[in-house]
Amino acid sequence: MNELEILKQQHILNYRNAVLTIIKNNTNSLIDDDICSLIKIPPLDSMDQIKVKLLAIAKKNNIILQSNNMNKIVVECREKLVALMNKIKKLRMDDLINLANQFNLEEENQVIKVTKKDLAVINKKIKRELKNNINIILQSIIIDKMELIIPEDISENSKGKILNDVIKFVGSKGSYQKQLLENIDFKILVKDTTLINGIKEQSERYIFTKNNSRLFN
């Protein structure tokens, strides 16, 4: 391999690595900054949707929840949700990296492209995983453990009303899940646009340098 070929191979390698870095940074930011900000414990209790709603349900039914158990359950729920998001991060990153690596950059003017259609396929998989697992987490940790929060000396009728209100909030058709999934969808949409534009700009720089640099002529 002559010196020119070595330079071309290095240029291709630098370009591919730059695209992979864009993918990794974009996905890390999406999950760690954007989506996890919706899940992690907020700085003020008054901003904690789950705790605020549970306390409102308790007040409505004239009971006092066991706060220590409630706090433990809410923390456990958030930890499980964050762990789920880390799995989603790996899923998105792996799929995007595999997609990027499929392009044969030895071909004339071939560049790495990530399209809306490509992302739609990946996002469909992500959204299915999110919907199923968020519901499982909220069901198993919040709904199924309500007896640890509700005082033992209240009537079965009152317990039923409280549980029903909780299900309406965090259940599969509840407002919390719906809002969380909608917010996540929006975060993904924004990052998808940023990703497409970032890779496009990197590709344009790659082609420009390849066609105009004295090193390659």
Side-chain angles (χ1 to χ4, degrees):
M1 185 181 292
N2 61 39
E3 186 176 350
L4 179 59
E5 287 300 316
I6 292 173
L7 287 172
K8 287 181 177 179
Q9 289 298 317
Q10 188 60 50
H11 186 52
I12 289 173
L13 180 61
N14 290 343
Y15 166 58
R16 189 182 295 279
N17 286 338
V19 170
L20 295 180
T21 297
I22 289 170
I23 288 171
K24 290 173 184 176
N25 289 342
N26 179 274
T27 302
N28 284 331
S29 178
L30 170 63
I31 302 300
D32 298 340
D33 300 331
D34 298 344
I35 293 179
C36 281
S37 69
L38 302 171
I39 296 168
K40 289 180 179 178
I41 298 174
L44 301 174
D45 277 350
S46 59
M47 298 167 64
D48 191 323
Q49 281 184 293
I50 297 177
K51 286 175 68 173
V52 168
K53 185 63 177 181
L54 291 177
L55 291 171
I57 291 171
K59 184 177 180 181
K60 172 186 171 184
N61 289 275
N62 297 312
I63 66 165
I64 298 176
L65 298 178
Q66 298 185 41
S67 59
N68 287 340
N69 285 344
M70 180 183 68
N71 290 335
K72 289 178 183 177
I73 287 171
V74 172
V75 167
E76 181 185 0
C77 179
R78 294 187 184 281
E79 287 176 347
K80 293 286 186 182
L81 289 173
V82 169
L84 168 62
M85 296 312 157
N86 286 328
K87 291 181 181 178
I88 295 299
K89 175 169 42 174
K90 186 177 186 308
L91 187 157
R92 184 179 192 264
M93 198 176 295
D94 286 351
D95 281 0
L96 287 169
I97 289 173
N98 288 337
L99 175 63
N101 284 333
Q102 288 175 9
F103 289 88
N104 181 9
L105 299 178
E106 300 291 341
E107 296 179 6
E108 186 67 23
N109 288 333
Q110 176 67 277
V111 295
I112 298 169
K113 296 178 182 177
V114 174
T115 66
K116 290 183 179 179
K117 185 177 180 180
D118 295 324
L119 290 168
V121 173
I122 296 172
N123 290 338
K124 184 177 181 180
K125 187 193 302 186
I126 287 173
K127 289 173 184 178
R128 183 171 61 247
E129 288 291 318
L130 285 171
K131 186 174 182 180
N132 291 340
N133 286 287
I134 286 174
N135 184 57
I136 289 170
I137 290 168
L138 291 171
Q139 175 70 45
S140 63
I141 297 177
I142 301 295
I143 297 173
D144 291 352
K145 294 185 179 181
M146 280 305 297
E147 72 269 12
L148 301 176
I149 302 175
I150 301 172
E152 296 179 0
D153 57 351
I154 66 171
S155 68
E156 291 300 318
N157 183 53
S158 294
K159 287 181 181 178
K161 288 180 179 178
I162 293 167
L163 187 58
N164 187 55
D165 285 343
V166 171
I167 292 172
K168 285 181 180 179
F169 178 59
V170 298
S172 59
K173 297 180 180 180
S175 58
Y176 179 78
Q177 284 201 46
K178 182 181 178 182
Q179 185 180 27
L180 180 59
L181 289 168
E182 286 176 352
N183 287 336
I184 290 173
D185 282 351
F186 178 74
K187 300 287 188 184
I188 291 173
L189 177 63
V190 172
K191 274 297 185 291
D192 282 355
T193 302
T194 304
L195 178 66
I196 290 172
N197 292 337
I199 293 175
K200 183 180 178 182
E201 290 172 7
Q202 190 66 45
S203 298
E204 289 172 351
R205 286 197 291 271
Y206 163 71
I207 290 294
F208 180 84
T209 303
K210 183 179 178 181
N211 292 336
N212 294 279
S213 175
R214 292 180 182 179
L215 294 173
F216 303 124
N217 294 322

